[in-house]
Amino acid sequence: MKQLIRMTTQRSLRLFLLVGLSAGLLGAAGSAPAFAASTSITIISGGGSGGVGTPDPVTTYSIPSARQGSAVIMTPHFSYTTIPGTRWVNTSGVSNTVDQGSSQTTTYTVHFTLPANFVSPSITVQVLADNGAVVSLNGTEIGRQPHFVFSAPELVNFQTISTFPWSNSSDFVDGVNSLSIANLDYGGANGVDFKAVVM
């Protein structure tokens, strides 16, 4: 009988210790800081479920002549490549000289929010543009896709994705950040296509 009581006591003690240890581990896991998990933010042009001719839900445009509004999803010109998962946008949704951004600079802007505990942020921006593009983060230029040169190679901006990585953490801010792409158009069809990943 004494042996049975001893065995039962030992098993109860082991079970108690096991339950206590498990609870402590679970409690510690529950108090881990939010930034311990890997986080990324992806921004694309032409997102949402709308079709061609509808506003891009996150991208706005502005033109020096004081015109501004939501960028519009467009059917790309036949010569354009598209970054996978994105769609081309411009100011009208029309890929010809009717677009109000033709023959001038149109700045396309998106915003993203970084929480205060987002550690050592970096961004990688992929861009296709007709014609040239200047990519800026909170007003700091982080990349430039120059206007193509007809002689070598023609149409490079529409068919070759330019990629601009940036990891200078002082150029990011806690809270709302602005990514802008200034589209330098030289006439005819125009628009931009982009994808940005913040990590």
Side-chain angles (χ1 to χ4, degrees), residues 32-153:
F35 61 82
S38 176
T39 305
S40 66
I41 300 166
T42 300
I43 309 154
I44 60 169
S45 60
S49 58
V52 170
T54 63
D56 180 310
V58 299
T59 309
T60 60
Y61 76 86
S62 63
I63 298 173
S65 56
R67 288 176 290 177
Q68 57 188 5
S70 292
V72 181
I73 298 166
M74 62 180 272
T75 300
H77 190 268
F78 73 90
S79 63
Y80 294 178
T81 297
T82 301
I83 298 166
T86 68
R87 293 186 284 178
W88 281 78
V89 296
N90 66 6
T91 67
S92 68
V94 179
S95 62
N96 60 33
T97 54
V98 173
D99 183 68
Q100 59 187 332
S102 293
S103 302
Q104 57 189 316
T105 299
T106 304
T107 301
Y108 296 89
T109 303
V110 293
H111 302 285
F112 61 93
T113 302
L114 286 184
N117 55 12
F118 207 98
V119 178
S120 300
S122 65
I123 190 169
T124 299
V125 184
Q126 294 178 302
V127 177
L128 289 162
D130 181 354
N131 296 118
V134 178
V135 182
S136 299
L137 172 66
N138 296 320
T140 298
E141 182 177 324
I142 64 173
R144 181 176 292 254
Q145 176 185 273
H147 173 52
F148 68 81
V149 178
F150 279 97
S151 59

Side-chain angles (χ1 to χ4, degrees), residues 5-46:
I5 292 172
R6 187 178 299 125
M7 288 174 57
T8 304
T9 303
Q10 287 175 345
R11 286 184 180 162
S12 297
L13 183 58
R14 286 179 187 151
L15 182 61
F16 176 77
L17 289 172
L18 183 62
V19 169
L21 182 59
S22 297
L25 289 174
L26 289 175
S31 64
F35 61 82
S38 176
T39 305
S40 66
I41 300 166
T42 300
I43 309 154
I44 60 169
S45 60

